[in-house]
Amino acid sequence: MRFNRIGALGASSIGVLLSAMVIVGCGPQQAAQVSQAPASSTADLMKQRGLSEADVSAALQTYTPTGKKDEYITFASGGHGGNMIVIGVPSMRILKYVGVFTPEPWQGYGYGDQSQQVLDMGSRFGKDMTWGDMHHPALSETKGDYDGKYIFVNDKANARIAVVDLHDFVTKQIVTSELIQSDHGATFVTPNTEYVVESSQYPAPLGGGYAPIEQFQDKYRGAVIFWKFDREKGKLDKSESFAMELPPYMQDLADAGKLDSEGWVFINSFNTEMAWGGTIEGNPPMESGASQNDMDYLHIINLKKAIEVAKAGKTTTIAGMPVIMLETANAEGLLHLVGEPKSPHGVDVTPDGKELVVSGKLDTHATVYSFEKLKGAIEAKNYDGKDRYGVPILPFNDVIRGQVEIGLGPLHTQYDDKGNAYTSVFIESTVAKWSLKDLKVLEKVKVHYNVGHIVAAEGDTVSPDGKYLIAMNKWALDRFNKVGPLLPQNFQLINIGSEPMQLIYDMPLPLGEPHYAQMIKADKMSPVDVYKPAGYDVVTDAASPNAVKAQEERIERKGKTVDVYMTSVRSHFTPDIIRVKKDDTVNLHITNVEQAHDATHGFTIGSYDVHSSLEPGKHVDITFVADKEGTFPFYCTEFCSALHLEMAGYFLVEPN
Ligand code: CUK
Ligand code: CUA
């Protein structure tokens, strides 16, 4: 019976699909007149396509008919693609690719003066970067819940943080400090987004510069930067930010405390052995040198107190960043360590902020630390000694509530609304669901293959939704059609609202290697449809002083500089002829004066590497030197109307 109902639905969806194919090119009013006869019965379709009942159930949980929207929005890091991917859940439709660390021509990102300014903010040691290794996006939070306003992301390779404004899904700022040379404990936000956490991964002399690797223990250091976020301006404020020196362990993931643990930050680490490789020089390789000890260290930072210490000026400025040195951190009691099982990876604070879950890559357990016990041990100065750098170490057995045997290679943990935790298990390719209260594994679901992070619906906030979970798998192997040796990643959507958990969708993701993601309820977001008023600069978030109004288009020459004030509107650019002389500096100022939803134009001049996306109301400035004489057509790159092909003109460069 239940099955038949599924059948009826499936068949009529096919009918709609066929109808839609028929009406391409017609107005919506005609659509209603097309009949919706079922193509064939569901049983027939299942037989033809070899689908099981579970397959059909999965399809019905994810299939999203035309015009219907997704319940959740996922922001996935793009890994070494350097950009961010926006995905609807449960349909797993890709909604957008957001240019962040890597130029992206569709959005004109990195091709005009505005976004070039943003990319330029990310230069290091005077060198421009054209890519990034994005790992961990973090949505801005209010009282520990996603507020849908901003998203921050890190670039592990170049120790950078970017701010994407969700009112238009555009990258507004990139910050970096030469204090550290890589980051991984980034980005994580405090419960009201006062600070964005960025901790280093690979120790190096603070501020850059050379030191012999033999002096690793003495000259190399880790550090954590607390970037102050100015919500009003939507920007990270370097002048209000500060850092703390850390021992030269390889600091890994971080998390900010919430509720009970608000005001604290946790960072785990590996390679507390301080191995530095040197295989052809007769040393053990880094990975074996770094895996000798049974325990590494979880760092516990009293951020609230650190802010006071930084404000009191008890810092040393390195690479322009005020740094609380280890000596001060120890004297002020800002930093404590506690053992954590072998090569830990994820540290994830529970929704109530009372506990943290740490999983070790080379240990089969997840360890649950009690924040109250940690705090108690710190207050009682209950130490198990100090490390080489004078940092007090808390006794492991006194601060944990317990451990749960998860499986081979547990990595990252997310939460639901029923007191359960979900941990990705890398080596055995499963996601384990376990009870936080009982520390017992309840169920496992197989994934394909070698899952890294997982993301659950609002699964790292104070109020997880317990609905969907995406396993972000590192290997795809046999899951998709062959596309050569470089395979897409495999995102697998799991319904965690059902018992047992059900794998309901496979989505190949061929745009980099996502690490972490954030999944937010779609109705928490309210991005704009068009930029208002027309002439909007998307980087300053204000009307551009160069904005052009209709009827005010013009070309102004001053010496060898030509300013072109241009508008775009369906289906022409004004002016449509631009005459310059070879070697003139050309400043194009283009305003898309349209205010209609989705009336986007693009602008390119062939052979000049000029491109822009002009969303309704957007203004762009493009500066370049006309260093090649010739006849260069320009045109609109976005199919905007029936006369789109006619939306063109000529850029004429006369010889001198
Ligand atoms: S890391 Cu990649 S799977 Cu950078 Cu968060 Cu664990
Ligand atoms: Cu404007 Cu095509």
Side-chain angles (χ1 to χ4, degrees), residues 135-136 184 253 345 412 452-453 474 515:
H135 278 235
H136 306 111
H184 195 245
L253 278 155
H345 191 47
H412 298 289
H453 273 274
K474 302 292 181 191
H515 289 259

Side-chain angles (χ1 to χ4, degrees), residues 419-535:
N420 299 311
Y422 299 79
T423 300
S424 55
V425 197
F426 179 79
I427 297 172
E428 62 175 48
S429 293
T430 60
V431 173
K433 171 181 176 179
W434 53 282
S435 157
L436 264 175
K437 185 162 138 277
D438 307 328
L439 301 185
K440 275 212 185 77
V441 172
L442 303 171
E443 203 197 312
K444 280 185 183 178
V445 59
K446 275 205 137 323
V447 292
H448 313 85
Y449 302 90
N450 299 97
V451 55
H453 273 274
I454 49 180
V455 61
E458 312 218 346
D460 62 4
T461 69
V462 295
S463 59
D465 292 359
K467 272 200 146 164
Y468 297 105
L469 181 144
I470 299 171
M472 307 167 76
N473 305 312
K474 302 292 181 191
W475 291 50
L477 294 176
D478 58 0
R479 291 294 104 172
F480 306 112
N481 297 68
K482 289 178 187 256
V483 289
L486 179 63
L487 273 60
Q489 303 279 300
N490 186 11
F491 271 23
Q492 288 184 307
L493 182 66
I494 297 165
N495 182 354
I496 57 168
S498 71
E499 272 182 42
M501 296 183 279
Q502 191 187 354
L503 177 67
I504 53 177
Y505 200 81
D506 271 31
M507 176 212 192
L509 198 74
L511 301 165
E513 187 218 302
H515 289 259
Y516 192 32
Q518 301 270 272
M519 197 192 301
I520 181 177
K521 196 90 195 306
D523 62 15
K524 284 187 172 178
M525 307 198 37
S526 47
V528 294
D529 288 337
V530 301
Y531 289 113
K532 276 185 191 149

Side-chain angles (χ1 to χ4, degrees), residues 396-415:
F396 178 73
N397 288 317
D398 291 359
V399 297
I400 67 165
R401 173 159 69 85
Q403 290 188 298
V404 49
E405 173 98 34
I406 300 276
L408 288 180
L411 296 184
H412 298 289
T413 299
Q414 295 273 291
Y415 302 99

Side-chain angles (χ1 to χ4, degrees), residues 566-568 571-576 602-603 614 634-636 647-648:
M566 179 186 269
T567 60
S568 68
S571 301
H572 50 268
F573 293 107
T574 310
D576 58 358
F603 178 84
L614 294 154
F634 62 78
Y635 69 92
C636 172
M647 191 165 174

